[in-house]
Amino acid sequence: MIFLGLVVAVAAVAAGAAVVLENRESVELVAFGETVPGVTEEWHVFMAGAVVAITFMAGLAVAILGVRRSLGIRRELRDLRDEHEESLQTLEMEKRQLELELAQVRRNTPPPLPSSTS
């Protein structure tokens, strides 16, 4: 998979270099009804497109990282909630067990004699 990614990246760089080196004609780039200053040749237009593509990919990467982080946090919170619930259930079982033991001890010991302090 890494090799395939490197092959695709090298092919993209080669295609980009070919476009830049082969196009030397004059051109005018208009965006949102305004002429873009500094763009006078076809390879400038290509480079502008490359910058837009890189910006798009960076934005997409940030969004994906944010989603991945959000999912990780949700998973961790769910695990903590489950662990907390298990802990509560364990404590409730221990409480019931101790209550039963206390009741049994109280049944087996005779009631205290009233003390006369006169």
Side-chain angles (χ1 to χ4, degrees):
M1 196 60 121
I2 294 172
F3 178 74
L4 179 62
L6 289 174
V7 168
V8 170
V10 169
V13 168
V19 168
V20 168
L21 294 174
E22 296 295 323
N23 292 300
R24 297 282 182 202
E25 295 183 24
S26 178
V27 70
E28 183 177 288
L29 179 62
V30 178
F32 302 110
E34 298 292 326
T35 302
V36 178
V39 179
T40 57
E41 296 183 26
E42 286 183 359
W43 71 273
H44 291 158
V45 174
F46 176 79
M47 293 306 289
V51 168
V52 169
I54 289 170
T55 304
F56 172 75
M57 294 302 289
L60 195 59
V62 168
I64 289 171
L65 289 174
V67 167
R68 194 175 283 171
R69 181 172 182 252
S70 175
L71 289 174
I73 289 171
R74 285 182 185 178
R75 185 178 307 120
E76 185 177 342
L77 286 173
R78 184 179 56 236
D79 291 345
L80 287 172
R81 198 175 304 122
D82 291 345
E83 183 180 315
H84 179 69
E85 188 175 316
E86 287 175 12
S87 176
L88 284 176
Q89 289 175 355
T90 302
L91 288 172
E92 288 174 0
M93 280 192 334
E94 288 177 6
K95 178 186 172 195
R96 278 189 238 117
Q97 181 66 29
L98 289 171
E99 286 173 344
L100 289 173
E101 289 176 13
L102 179 62
Q104 185 179 16
V105 167
R106 285 182 178 167
R107 274 182 272 155
N108 291 338
T109 56
L113 296 172
S115 62
S116 58
T117 54
S118 18

